[in-house]
Amino acid sequence: MADLRAHAVAAPVVGKGTVTQPVDEVVDLVSALIRFDTSNTGELATTKGEAECALWVAEQLSAVGYTCEYIESGAPGRGNVFARLPGADPDRGALLIHGHLDVVPAEPADWSVHPFSGAVADGYVWGRGAVDMKDMCGMMIAVARHFKREGIVPPRDLVFAFVADEEHGGTYGAQWLVDNRPDLFDGITEAIGEVGGFSLTVPHKDGGERRLYLIETAEKGLSWMRLTARGRAGHGSMVHDDNAVTAVAEAVARLGRHQFPLVLTDSVQQFLAAVAEETGYSFDLDSPDLDGTIAKLGGISRIVGATLRDTANPTMLKAGYKANVIPQTAEAVIDCRVLPGRKEAFEREIDELIGPDVTRSWERDLPSYETTFDGDLVDAMNDALVAVDPEARTVPYMLSGGTDAKAFARLGIRCFGFIPLRLPPELDFAALFHGIDERVPVDALHFGTRVLEHFLKNC
């Protein structure tokens, strides 16, 4: 690969050639979006770039005739853009197509390209956000612009939303918008966003391969838990039987080593059944080799494995201020991801593990979500994928992480993860999320744009 580490600082430009179809500009759009550094650190003072990026998105849509609304969600610079395209049947529920503009931070020294270069090389568009999720934002803009330029009227109202702060739970993004601007979602009954619609290539039981396209119908709850232990301060040289650091460390160790029970939700059951049907694999929950069978699915196995049970991963520790001083307080943060219907049982299990000497509190507590894999919208997703890839088979699955669907579902909106991408079988797609050298195949962007266009014409 050429040396692409230099950060492109010029203002993003798209539409360098003649544009007749959405695929003609989608790569330029995704590259331009990546060149906005919209790193979300989780802190208001250091998060940046969302406003500039959102205003640029509004310019791209306004240029072809959309009326856009720009909203700052609870703090200066937390920019969001909404645009509505009226459909043929105003009495039908509208469809929300949403993407987030923020990304997790990236350290340039770790990358083989600059993470905010938006470089196009070796068949990929490179940079932070390439798959999470400026690829979808670019496809949304390309299709929305095409519909407006060509006067295409979709069967129902389409609401395109580009939002802030997803990478920190949406406090200054989707959650704020739902609480403070519910009018933006008037008439919306269904939504698509991340993370789903991508292909998973599996070996077929009769030889050859089969492409499954995973539609997200469920996601685990997100709960960030703070553990606090309080003890007696003292001198580090003395015998001490009331040490807060020891108490919190023991609780963290018990949580970190604990394996929660296997629980199969409907989405996971249907996913495993479909994979078993295609591959001939047996996903026996009583088998000691269950994890080994799931590992045969490649990189996606890390997500699938995490949807079989709750998880509680220690991520942060804080205690003390001097080597020879036993502190009075010690804290830890645990990233908890909880299956639908498991919250009460999960909390009981947590309390048993941490014991009486440690207290817990929730820093962030967002619910799980699950819907069924049926209905006209699911049929439209399937039809769109098959129209572009006749070998496609759609299957439901659960995401181990969380998305803005958690916020939109509070308004009664039925949410799916659908960002259509046909991926090379050898690409470890799951590893690209928040990973080094994040990138999206150019061919996958072209494929996804065609699928999205077909879907939105027939949704």
Side-chain angles (χ1 to χ4, degrees), residues 62-303:
S62 299
V64 294
Y66 281 94
T67 299
C68 297
E69 184 168 1
Y70 172 82
I71 311 103
E72 293 201 336
S73 45
R78 309 314 294 261
N80 307 265
V81 171
F82 280 68
R84 184 181 287 254
L85 180 63
D89 185 354
D91 295 327
R92 281 190 63 192
L95 177 68
L96 175 68
I97 307 101
H98 61 94
H100 64 83
L101 297 174
D102 63 319
V103 298
V104 295
E107 176 51 59
D110 296 335
W111 288 53
S112 58
V113 304
H114 194 288
F116 299 105
S117 66
V120 182
D122 299 339
Y124 288 84
V125 182
W126 298 72
R128 177 60 84 218
V131 299
D132 188 13
M133 60 176 294
K134 290 179 176 177
D135 55 347
M136 178 59 163
C137 292
M139 290 191 286
M140 289 164 58
I141 297 169
V143 173
R145 281 163 58 97
H146 175 68
F147 279 19
K148 200 71 169 177
R149 281 194 303 259
E150 300 299 318
I152 295 170
V153 179
R156 64 202 290 193
D157 283 10
L158 303 179
V159 178
F160 297 95
F162 303 83
V163 302
D165 199 36
E166 190 277 341
E167 295 293 0
H168 198 64
T171 299
Y172 294 99
Q175 299 286 347
W176 186 94
L177 292 166
V178 166
D179 288 336
N180 295 276
R181 288 294 309 274
D183 58 294
L184 294 167
F185 306 92
D186 284 349
I188 294 173
T189 57
E190 295 174 303
I192 62 165
E194 58 179 1
V195 176
F198 58 91
S199 65
L200 170 66
T201 302
V202 296
H204 193 268
K205 60 186 177 184
D206 297 327
E209 294 180 329
R210 187 76 156 106
R211 274 187 304 281
L212 309 179
Y213 287 84
L214 278 52
I215 309 300
E216 186 204 320
T217 54
E219 58 185 52
K220 297 173 81 174
L222 182 157
S223 300
W224 292 337
M225 179 174 63
R226 183 173 296 275
L227 301 181
T228 304
R230 291 179 173 81
R232 188 176 69 255
H235 199 289
S237 67
M238 298 181 183
V239 176
H240 203 89
D241 60 359
D242 188 20
N243 191 315
V245 176
T246 302
V248 85
E250 289 175 341
V252 165
R254 287 192 295 270
L255 280 174
R257 295 191 181 101
H258 182 68
Q259 189 172 76
F260 290 86
L262 286 168
V263 177
L264 290 191
T265 66
D266 290 344
S267 296
V268 174
Q269 284 182 323
Q270 291 175 53
F271 169 80
L272 293 178
V275 173
E277 180 183 338
E278 297 290 347
T279 63
Y281 296 160
S282 175
F283 297 100
D284 182 358
L285 298 189
D286 296 322
S287 169
D289 194 38
L290 175 62
D291 290 338
T293 305
I294 290 174
K296 294 179 182 178
L297 301 178
I300 196 67
S301 64
R302 293 189 293 277
I303 293 176

Side-chain angles (χ1 to χ4, degrees), residues 233-234 245 318-329:
V245 176
K318 179 182 178 182
Y321 52 89
K322 198 171 188 295
N324 62 351
V325 177
I326 297 170
Q328 188 173 9
T329 303

